[in-house]
Amino acid sequence: MSSDADHHEPEAKRAKTEDSNNAGDTDIHLDLKDFAKFKFGEVLKEDPVRKTLALKATVDGSTDPAVVFLEKSAFTEECGKKILESDTTLKQTFHNDIYGSYTGFPQQELNGVKVTIIHPATSKHIAKFSAKESIIVNETPQLYKDVLLEHLKESAFNVQWVYNILEHRSEQERIVCEDADPETGFVLVPDLKWDGESLESLYLQALVHRRGLRSIRDLTADHLPLLRNIRDRGCEAIEKKYGVPASELRVYFHYQPSYYHLHVHFTSVQFDAPGTHVGKAHFLSTVINNLELVPDYYQRATLTYYLPRSDPLADKLRRATDGVSAE
């Protein structure tokens, strides 16, 4: 799940080719306990605000590279209590009157780093996690049909991992809520970017059971029962399990999504989650309202979004139209 890692943005391929679904002897995750087999390659992207670092690495015994995404875990009340009341060592870096600045060294169990590993990582994964300049795209319905749909046939991420969750072949223990109806059902699971503990950074995704729905572009008024069900049952399940009410949830789609199987993001409004800005996020409530007003709204609308300048799709769009301008 998604990003910039979006769940599932570990859309990690399970083989040496981009389209294979078989792990074979390349599945390093089966018994991975440390980084002994990893060698640093290069920094793909660092974000001092979000305190994340994306690295490219090589893995002993494999010709395929890995992407390693490191993220400092969010603080919780319990964590703060333990830091203050345990053997945390302080090293002073600054002192002036009543103000002091220190580097703290908490106990090991309080100093973990969230690690997401994608292996084998394809060129698309590496590009996804790399620093990049952006452009703004004004995607008309005609551009969607002529350019983007053709692009997806060539370049879409493999979504077998989504089907594995929907079919209970993996991550069964992580399912928070499921409606098995083939038309209006979905599975709600924590996003891999969430540590599962800090409610301030709460992040889950709802994956629809219905195949063939790729993004909001496919939605019509016929899908309103599905969307309302995700909104109502998803918010209800989150409040029941985590105590976070609907009024404190940001519920939205991404467009463009990072993978093309329809899914909905649920994040805490306290969390400045990746992809919640204008040009990326579309509130579920707004999508529902648009479809209530105009049944085929997303087949008629021009959708504006950001796209990495280096993305092959950006070049195809530039060749097809003048409706792409530098940010």
Side-chain angles (χ1 to χ4, degrees):
M1 286 157 227
S2 258
S3 103
D4 300 326
D6 188 18
H7 189 46
H8 278 122
E9 291 175 2
E11 305 102 335
K13 303 295 187 294
R14 299 292 189 177
K16 293 185 178 180
T17 62
E18 294 192 2
D19 296 321
S20 175
N21 299 323
N22 298 317
D25 59 4
T26 66
D27 194 348
I28 64 170
H29 303 283
L30 293 177
D31 192 35
L32 187 62
K33 294 183 174 59
D34 55 43
F35 282 117
K37 295 182 178 181
F38 287 69
K39 289 185 175 59
F40 173 82
E42 61 179 299
V43 173
L44 298 176
K45 184 179 181 179
E46 54 183 318
D47 188 335
V49 175
R50 299 188 185 280
K51 296 179 174 58
T52 62
L53 182 66
L55 305 172
K56 181 181 177 182
T58 58
V59 182
D60 290 350
S62 174
T63 58
D64 297 303
V67 169
V68 179
F69 188 74
L70 307 176
E71 181 177 7
K72 291 289 186 70
S73 299
F75 289 107
T76 63
E77 179 179 346
E78 183 64 22
C79 178
K81 182 179 179 180
K82 288 182 178 179
I83 288 175
L84 288 180
E85 297 180 358
S86 63
D87 298 327
T88 299
T89 302
L90 297 178
K91 180 179 180 181
Q92 188 179 85
T93 57
F94 173 81
H95 171 227
N96 184 354
D97 194 32
I98 64 173
Y99 303 100
S101 179
Y102 301 82
T103 300
F105 301 92
Q107 295 178 354
Q108 183 175 352
E109 64 270 19
L110 302 175
N111 205 24
V113 175
K114 188 175 184 339
V115 180
T116 301
I117 299 171
I118 301 175
H119 181 273
T122 69
S123 59
K124 284 181 259 181
H125 292 112
I126 292 170
K128 177 183 179 64
F129 284 87
S130 297
K132 53 186 76 73
E133 295 182 354
S134 296
I135 61 171
I136 290 178
V137 174
N138 297 305
E139 183 189 277
T140 65
Q142 196 62 46
L143 272 177
Y144 174 74
K145 294 176 183 176
D146 295 344
V147 180
L148 193 127
L149 285 181
E150 291 301 314
H151 176 74
L152 290 183
K153 293 177 183 177
E154 305 169 2
S155 306
F157 273 123
N158 185 294
V159 293
Q160 183 59 45
W161 65 268
V162 176
Y163 302 152
N164 289 343
I165 294 173
L166 295 176
E167 296 167 7
H168 291 195
R169 292 203 295 264
S170 65
E171 303 190 40
Q172 295 181 55
E173 72 285 353
R174 303 180 74 244
I175 293 176
V176 173
C177 170
E178 179 172 16
D179 183 330
D181 189 282
E183 296 296 319
T184 62
F186 65 96
V187 170
L188 183 67
V189 292
D191 188 283
L192 289 182
K193 293 184 291 299
W194 184 36
D195 62 13
E197 297 180 4
S198 171
L199 297 183
E200 288 74 17
S201 59
L202 179 142
Y203 197 155
L204 298 96
Q205 287 194 38
L207 311 172
V208 304
H209 272 297
R210 186 167 174 174
R211 307 285 175 96
L213 292 178
R214 293 162 294 199
S215 72
I216 58 175
R217 276 291 192 193
D218 293 322
L219 295 175
T220 69
D222 292 339
H223 302 112
L224 284 171
L226 165 65
L227 301 181
R228 293 175 183 137
N229 190 41
I230 292 173
R231 177 195 62 194
D232 297 342
R233 292 202 59 186
C235 290
E236 179 184 342
I238 290 173
E239 182 168 15
K240 182 177 180 180
K241 184 172 179 64
Y242 302 108
V244 179
S247 60
E248 296 178 17
L249 292 175
R250 186 190 290 115
V251 187
Y252 56 96
F253 295 94
H254 278 156
Y255 194 81
Q256 295 278 327
S258 60
Y259 60 94
Y260 280 85
H261 178 95
L262 191 71
H263 57 285
V264 179
H265 302 259
F266 290 76
T267 64
S268 167
V269 295
Q270 314 303 328
F271 178 38
D272 184 18
T276 55
H277 53 268
V278 172
K280 184 69 172 180
H282 297 254
F283 279 112
L284 173 58
S285 58
T286 301
V287 172
I288 290 173
N289 187 61
N290 287 342
L291 293 174
E292 289 172 337
L293 295 172
V294 183
D296 59 346
Y297 178 88
Y298 289 99
Q299 286 77 57
R300 299 170 59 182
T302 292
L303 299 180
T304 300
Y305 53 85
Y306 294 91
L307 195 65
R309 186 184 298 275
S310 59
D311 192 307
L313 176 59
D315 186 54
K316 294 176 182 178
L317 289 166
R318 275 193 293 265
R319 293 199 302 265
T321 182
D322 293 329
V324 179
S325 59
E327 182 183 10

